[in-house]
Amino acid sequence: MTKLRISVVQYLNTAPLIRGFTHGPQRADAEKKYDFSFTVPSQCAEALRTGAADVAIIPAIEYQRIVSDGIPLTILPNLAIASKERVRSLLLISKVPIRQARRIALDPSSRSTQALVKILAARHWQISPQFFEPSPRDQRDQNGERSETILAAMLANADAALIIGDAALQIAIAAEAQGAKPGPDGEWITSSAALNSLVAAQYIAPAKRPREASSAESPVGAQHRCAPTRQDVARELQSSSPLHIYDIVTEWRRLTNLPAVLAIWAARNDSFPNNIVPANRFPTNDVSLADVVADFQASRDFGLTQIPQIAAEAATEMHLPENELRLYLEKNIDYSLDAENLQALHRFFQESQSLNLIAALNPTNIAAAPQAAAQKRA
């Protein structure tokens, strides 16, 4: 059997989705059927776009962009990385009230979050700032390994910076511990110096780049390896000036009264040369779309029972409180594509098209749920 190539975001919030494949009852079967690789969200999308992957977890907006490129995709049903009200791992951190921001630096690794910020700027905050992706500043840590700065490099030349993932979660936890106060525009305000002392204290291990991992490896802490080093954060947050912290999902909820769907599992329909493959099958000898859907849902379901274990493992690697990571995975992240999340996904696509962030509004093609597929075959 030729294995399906699966591209996965190796971040903490993805861990429950593939826990069954890495630690659970699906592991032995997955080793025969799937070849996993791990990277950042934007690169998962590129792997799917170029045909380097058959199935990938991609930023939600990339579904529309890839389909517009003439590459048909199918979304796996009832699976997502979403957030109902507050996510804590997607933050817009500003040196001024956001309505005064003129330059906003965007983390290049998450295209959906970039789009959310642009929608919020236009529709919610009613500003037209300059958006840009800063060039990463490479440096060597004490072990001679490369690391990328995020917060310091971005705020150095911008009024505000979009910080995502485990780096953002660390800042959110530190701000909460410091007793950040609510601001006039729904944000949280904290002292740069106070936040610096808490964040720096948590940076014990040097940051590293994300890397490819075997299917048996637990995908936690990779975004910690992308995070700014302690020295970088300390340099940026020396002053006592206030920082305004905006949770992207909270702001999206204020605008739309809907949750945010951040990433989805999508499968490429035409991986075989010349498209010689039935529409409901993938380029393997035996694995059908129904098999993929059932396997991925079972892996997620097992992962949701393993959140205490995932949080304990991640706490050691990421140097964050175990109880905070468990809260994050259980309360801040939603792993379904339920009716409310699906409505939110459609609203996100509509808003993106209205701002020309996507070329066209393509139909959302979602595979049949396993039960529905079984009934149809019967």
Side-chain angles (χ1 to χ4, degrees), residues 260-332:
V261 177
L262 308 169
I264 53 177
W265 280 114
R268 186 178 172 114
N269 295 354
D270 58 351
S271 293
F272 274 165
N274 302 319
N275 301 324
I276 305 176
V277 58
N280 69 333
R281 298 188 66 82
F282 289 98
T284 67
N285 294 328
D286 302 302
V287 182
S288 69
L289 175 56
D291 293 331
V292 171
V293 170
D295 287 348
F296 279 62
Q297 289 189 356
S299 177
R300 184 271 317 272
D301 292 345
F302 176 78
L304 293 180
T305 71
Q306 293 281 298
I307 285 179
Q309 293 89 331
I310 294 171
E313 295 164 7
T316 299
E317 182 172 351
M318 297 167 59
H319 311 283
L320 289 173
E322 180 180 335
N323 65 315
E324 291 288 354
L325 298 183
R326 181 170 177 175
L327 176 67
Y328 170 69
L329 293 173
E330 290 180 340
K331 302 299 184 182
N332 298 130

Side-chain angles (χ1 to χ4, degrees), residues 34 41 74 106 150 152 168 207 250 285 304 306 311 358:
Y34 304 122
T74 300
L106 300 175
I150 295 180
T250 299
N285 294 328
L304 293 180
Q306 293 281 298
I358 56 176

